Amino acid sequence: QKEVEQNSGPLSVPEGAIASLNCTYSDRVSQSFFWYRQYSGKSPELIMSIYSNGDKEDGRFTAQLNKASQYVSLLIRDSQPSDSATYLCALSGSYIPTFGRGTSLIVHP
Amino acid sequence: DVKVTQSSRYLVKRTGEKVFLECVQDMDHENMFWYRQDPGLGLRLIYFSYDVKMKEKGDIPEGYSVSREKKERFSLILESASTNQTSMYLCASSSPGTSGRRSYNEQFFGPGTRLTVL
Protein backbone atom coordinates (compact mmCIF):
# COMPACT_ATOMS: atom_id res chain seq x y z
CA GLN A 1 0.00 0.00 0.00
CA LYS A 2 1.50 3.27 -1.06
CA GLU A 3 1.43 6.06 1.49
CA VAL A 4 1.81 9.74 0.78
CA GLU A 5 2.21 12.02 3.75
CA GLN A 6 1.67 15.75 3.83
CA ASN A 7 1.39 18.14 6.73
CA SER A 8 -2.22 19.34 6.65
CA GLY A 9 -1.22 22.86 7.75
CA PRO A 10 -2.31 25.51 7.44
CA LEU A 11 1.00 26.91 6.31
CA SER A 12 0.81 30.67 6.60
CA VAL A 13 3.31 32.88 4.75
CA PRO A 14 3.39 36.61 4.04
CA GLU A 15 2.93 37.91 0.54
CA GLY A 16 6.20 37.89 -1.39
CA ALA A 17 7.77 35.11 0.68
CA ILE A 18 8.75 31.62 -0.44
CA ALA A 19 6.26 28.92 0.47
CA SER A 20 7.72 25.46 0.91
CA LEU A 21 5.41 22.45 0.74
CA ASN A 22 6.70 18.97 1.47
CA CYS A 23 5.59 15.45 0.80
CA THR A 24 7.07 12.09 1.79
CA TYR A 25 6.15 8.74 0.38
CA SER A 26 6.71 5.10 1.20
CA ASP A 27 6.84 3.45 -2.21
CA ARG A 28 10.19 3.16 -3.97
CA VAL A 29 8.68 2.01 -7.26
CA SER A 30 6.86 5.22 -8.11
CA GLN A 31 8.17 6.97 -11.19
CA SER A 32 5.92 10.00 -11.60
CA PHE A 33 5.26 12.74 -9.09
CA PHE A 34 2.70 15.49 -9.29
CA TRP A 35 1.55 18.61 -7.51
CA TYR A 36 -2.05 19.73 -7.75
CA ARG A 37 -3.58 22.97 -6.53
CA GLN A 38 -7.16 22.94 -5.26
CA TYR A 39 -9.08 26.07 -4.44
CA SER A 40 -11.92 25.77 -1.96
CA GLY A 41 -14.97 24.23 -3.61
CA LYS A 42 -13.11 23.56 -6.86
CA SER A 43 -11.46 20.51 -8.38
CA PRO A 44 -7.70 19.80 -8.32
CA GLU A 45 -5.62 21.40 -11.05
CA LEU A 46 -2.29 19.92 -12.12
CA ILE A 47 0.49 22.48 -11.71
CA MET A 48 3.72 20.46 -11.79
CA SER A 49 4.96 17.03 -12.82
CA ILE A 50 8.43 15.72 -12.07
CA TYR A 51 9.98 12.41 -13.02
CA SER A 52 13.71 12.70 -12.32
CA ASN A 53 15.76 13.54 -9.26
CA GLY A 54 16.57 17.20 -8.94
CA ASP A 55 14.71 20.42 -9.52
CA LYS A 56 12.18 21.41 -12.13
CA GLU A 57 11.19 25.03 -12.48
CA ASP A 58 8.09 26.52 -14.06
CA GLY A 59 7.58 30.22 -13.48
CA ARG A 60 7.28 30.86 -9.75
CA PHE A 61 7.01 27.13 -9.01
CA THR A 62 9.89 24.73 -8.42
CA ALA A 63 9.37 21.03 -7.78
CA GLN A 64 12.16 19.09 -6.11
CA LEU A 65 12.45 15.32 -6.12
CA ASN A 66 14.76 13.16 -4.02
CA LYS A 67 14.04 9.50 -4.62
CA ALA A 68 16.74 8.27 -2.24
CA SER A 69 15.14 10.14 0.65
CA GLN A 70 11.63 9.60 -0.73
CA TYR A 71 10.43 13.14 -0.66
CA VAL A 72 9.12 15.64 -3.12
CA SER A 73 8.63 19.32 -2.43
CA LEU A 74 7.09 22.35 -4.06
CA LEU A 75 8.50 25.85 -3.67
CA ILE A 76 6.41 28.85 -4.55
CA ARG A 77 8.45 32.02 -4.93
CA ASP A 78 6.99 35.50 -4.50
CA SER A 79 3.83 34.03 -2.96
CA GLN A 80 0.61 35.85 -3.76
CA PRO A 81 -2.75 35.79 -1.96
CA SER A 82 -4.11 34.04 -5.07
CA ASP A 83 -1.81 31.11 -4.22
CA SER A 84 -3.91 30.43 -1.12
CA ALA A 85 -5.27 26.93 -1.70
CA THR A 86 -4.75 23.31 -0.76
CA TYR A 87 -1.83 21.63 -2.49
CA LEU A 88 -2.05 17.90 -3.15
CA CYS A 89 0.97 15.73 -3.72
CA ALA A 90 0.50 12.60 -5.83
CA LEU A 91 2.70 9.83 -7.11
CA SER A 92 2.27 7.08 -9.62
CA GLY A 93 4.05 3.87 -10.50
CA SER A 94 1.22 2.69 -12.70
CA TYR A 95 -1.80 4.49 -14.08
CA ILE A 96 -3.41 4.83 -10.66
CA PRO A 97 -1.96 7.69 -8.66
CA THR A 98 -1.89 7.86 -4.89
CA PHE A 99 -2.78 11.24 -3.42
CA GLY A 100 -1.80 12.84 -0.18
CA ARG A 101 -4.48 14.64 1.81
CA GLY A 102 -3.05 18.02 0.98
CA THR A 103 -1.48 21.00 2.70
CA SER A 104 -3.48 24.17 3.15
CA LEU A 105 -1.49 27.29 2.22
CA ILE A 106 -2.54 30.76 3.29
CA VAL A 107 -0.72 33.76 1.85
CA HIS A 108 -1.58 36.87 3.81
CA PRO A 109 -1.07 40.42 2.52
CA ASP B 1 -6.95 22.88 -24.21
CA VAL B 2 -7.73 19.72 -22.27
CA LYS B 3 -11.23 19.35 -21.02
CA VAL B 4 -13.13 17.09 -18.67
CA THR B 5 -16.79 17.92 -18.14
CA GLN B 6 -19.30 16.60 -15.65
CA SER B 7 -23.04 16.60 -16.15
CA SER B 8 -23.97 18.65 -13.10
CA ARG B 9 -22.20 20.98 -10.67
CA TYR B 10 -24.83 20.56 -7.97
CA LEU B 11 -27.35 17.78 -7.49
CA VAL B 12 -29.91 17.11 -4.77
CA LYS B 13 -31.52 13.67 -4.57
CA ARG B 14 -33.72 11.74 -2.18
CA THR B 15 -32.70 8.61 -0.30
CA GLY B 16 -33.35 5.54 -2.41
CA GLU B 17 -33.22 7.31 -5.77
CA LYS B 18 -31.03 6.03 -8.57
CA VAL B 19 -28.45 8.67 -9.46
CA PHE B 20 -26.40 9.01 -12.64
CA LEU B 21 -23.27 11.14 -12.80
CA GLU B 22 -21.72 11.54 -16.22
CA CYS B 23 -18.23 12.51 -17.23
CA VAL B 24 -16.93 13.30 -20.70
CA GLN B 25 -13.33 13.98 -21.76
CA ASP B 26 -12.15 15.25 -25.11
CA MET B 27 -8.48 14.27 -24.81
CA ASP B 28 -8.76 10.74 -26.18
CA HIS B 29 -7.49 9.43 -22.84
CA GLU B 30 -7.55 5.72 -22.16
CA ASN B 31 -7.96 5.95 -18.40
CA MET B 32 -10.87 7.45 -16.52
CA PHE B 33 -11.53 7.64 -12.80
CA TRP B 34 -14.24 8.46 -10.30
CA TYR B 35 -13.33 9.83 -6.88
CA ARG B 36 -15.21 11.22 -3.97
CA GLN B 37 -13.72 13.87 -1.75
CA ASP B 38 -14.81 14.51 1.81
CA PRO B 39 -13.32 16.90 4.39
CA GLY B 40 -10.47 15.27 6.28
CA LEU B 41 -10.54 12.12 4.13
CA GLY B 42 -8.93 13.37 0.95
CA LEU B 43 -9.55 11.87 -2.46
CA ARG B 44 -10.86 8.31 -2.43
CA LEU B 45 -10.98 6.23 -5.59
CA ILE B 46 -14.35 4.63 -6.29
CA TYR B 47 -13.83 3.02 -9.70
CA PHE B 48 -11.56 3.38 -12.67
CA SER B 49 -11.51 2.23 -16.27
CA TYR B 50 -8.49 1.67 -18.50
CA ASP B 51 -10.44 0.89 -21.66
CA VAL B 52 -13.93 0.84 -23.11
CA LYS B 53 -16.17 -1.64 -21.28
CA MET B 54 -13.37 -2.32 -18.76
CA LYS B 55 -13.71 -1.33 -15.13
CA GLU B 56 -11.87 -1.97 -11.91
CA LYS B 57 -12.90 -1.37 -8.32
CA GLY B 58 -11.09 1.28 -6.39
CA ASP B 59 -10.90 1.66 -2.64
CA ILE B 60 -14.57 2.33 -1.90
CA PRO B 61 -16.78 0.73 -4.61
CA GLU B 62 -19.63 -0.32 -2.33
CA GLY B 63 -22.92 1.27 -3.31
CA TYR B 64 -21.62 2.39 -6.70
CA SER B 65 -21.38 1.00 -10.20
CA VAL B 66 -19.93 2.41 -13.41
CA SER B 67 -20.37 2.21 -17.13
CA ARG B 68 -17.99 2.95 -19.98
CA GLU B 69 -19.56 2.30 -23.35
CA LYS B 70 -17.51 4.88 -25.23
CA LYS B 71 -13.93 5.95 -24.75
CA GLU B 72 -14.80 9.54 -23.94
CA ARG B 73 -17.61 8.87 -21.46
CA PHE B 74 -17.53 7.35 -17.99
CA SER B 75 -20.66 7.19 -15.86
CA LEU B 76 -21.02 6.68 -12.12
CA ILE B 77 -24.25 5.17 -10.87
CA LEU B 78 -25.60 5.21 -7.35
CA GLU B 79 -28.10 2.38 -7.42
CA SER B 80 -29.96 3.51 -4.31
CA ALA B 81 -28.68 6.79 -2.93
CA SER B 82 -28.06 7.07 0.78
CA THR B 83 -27.26 10.05 2.97
CA ASN B 84 -23.69 8.84 3.51
CA GLN B 85 -23.11 9.30 -0.22
CA THR B 86 -23.45 13.04 0.13
CA SER B 87 -20.11 14.24 -1.15
CA MET B 88 -18.13 15.98 -3.86
CA TYR B 89 -17.67 13.60 -6.81
CA LEU B 90 -14.72 14.15 -9.11
CA CYS B 91 -14.06 12.59 -12.46
CA ALA B 92 -10.56 12.47 -13.91
CA SER B 93 -8.85 11.14 -17.01
CA SER B 94 -5.28 10.36 -17.91
CA SER B 95 -3.19 8.84 -20.63
CA PRO B 96 -0.55 6.23 -19.86
CA GLY B 97 1.68 7.77 -22.47
CA THR B 98 5.30 6.87 -22.00
CA SER B 99 8.57 8.19 -23.25
CA GLY B 100 11.53 6.02 -22.49
CA ARG B 101 11.26 5.11 -18.83
CA ARG B 102 8.84 7.84 -17.98
CA SER B 103 5.25 7.10 -17.24
CA TYR B 104 3.16 10.18 -17.48
CA ASN B 105 -0.30 9.44 -16.11
CA GLU B 106 -1.01 13.08 -15.44
CA GLN B 107 -4.59 13.26 -14.30
CA PHE B 108 -6.96 15.99 -15.40
CA PHE B 109 -10.05 16.60 -13.32
CA GLY B 110 -13.54 17.72 -14.16
CA PRO B 111 -15.17 20.55 -12.18
CA GLY B 112 -16.85 18.15 -9.76
CA THR B 113 -20.43 17.41 -8.79
CA ARG B 114 -21.54 18.27 -5.29
CA LEU B 115 -24.21 15.70 -4.50
CA THR B 116 -26.56 16.06 -1.55
CA VAL B 117 -28.75 13.12 -0.61
CA LEU B 118 -31.67 14.01 1.64
Side-chain angles (χ1 to χ4, degrees):
Chain A
Q1 180 83 12
K2 297 178 189 176
E3 301 247 339
V4 179
E5 297 289 336
Q6 294 183 258
N7 187 320
S8 62
L11 172 67
S12 182
V13 301
E15 184 175 357
I18 295 175
S20 177
L21 304 161
N22 299 308
C23 172
T24 59
Y25 61 93
S26 61
D27 170 42
R28 291 191 174 273
V29 178
S30 294
Q31 301 174 25
S32 309
F33 302 84
F34 311 101
W35 282 100
Y36 289 82
R37 178 177 61 201
Q38 186 174 22
Y39 292 115
S40 180
K42 303 295 185 182
S43 62
E45 173 193 10
L46 179 67
I47 55 172
M48 291 286 285
S49 305
I50 186 166
Y51 307 101
S52 305
N53 277 327
D55 295 0
K56 179 182 177 183
E57 187 174 318
D58 183 0
R60 294 187 296 113
F61 299 100
T62 299
Q64 299 174 319
L65 175 61
N66 185 322
K67 291 187 178 181
S69 300
Q70 294 177 251
Y71 81 79
V72 57
S73 62
L74 179 71
L75 301 179
I76 306 175
R77 289 182 299 281
D78 188 25
S79 296
Q80 301 297 310
S82 59
D83 294 325
S84 298
T86 297
Y87 289 80
L88 306 175
C89 169
L91 54 89
S92 176
S94 65
Y95 50 79
I96 306 170
T98 301
F99 286 85
R101 295 189 179 186
T103 298
S104 174
L105 172 67
I106 299 172
V107 181
H108 52 87
Chain B
D1 198 16
V2 298
K3 199 152 188 180
V4 181
T5 58
Q6 294 183 228
S7 50
S8 305
R9 289 299 311 273
Y10 300 93
L11 208 52
V12 180
K13 295 292 182 180
R14 297 274 180 199
T15 301
E17 281 192 80
K18 191 168 186 176
V19 182
F20 294 87
L21 303 181
E22 292 204 319
C23 175
V24 178
Q25 51 97 1
D26 66 358
M27 297 167 279
D28 201 34
H29 282 170
E30 289 84 354
N31 306 322
M32 296 188 75
F33 306 79
W34 276 107
Y35 296 89
R36 63 177 284 177
Q37 188 175 35
D38 303 285
L41 297 179
L43 282 166
R44 293 185 289 168
L45 181 62
I46 304 171
Y47 268 96
F48 64 95
S49 169
Y50 54 88
D51 201 352
V52 176
K53 296 191 185 293
M54 305 303 289
K55 59 186 178 183
E56 294 285 344
K57 294 180 181 179
D59 300 318
I60 51 163
E62 297 78 18
Y64 304 94
S65 62
V66 290
S67 172
R68 193 169 181 197
E69 297 296 319
K70 293 184 178 182
K71 188 176 185 180
E72 68 270 18
R73 189 180 298 268
F74 192 34
S75 300
L76 180 69
I77 302 146
L78 286 67
E79 297 289 342
S80 178
S82 63
T83 55
N84 62 12
Q85 292 178 310
T86 291
S87 186
M88 168 72 98
Y89 288 88
L90 292 161
C91 174
S93 71
S94 72
S95 172
T98 57
S99 174
R101 292 185 176 180
R102 293 180 180 177
S103 174
Y104 292 105
N105 295 309
E106 296 171 338
Q107 282 198 336
F108 296 92
F109 286 84
T113 296
R114 185 164 295 281
L115 172 67
T116 302
V117 182
L118 302 175

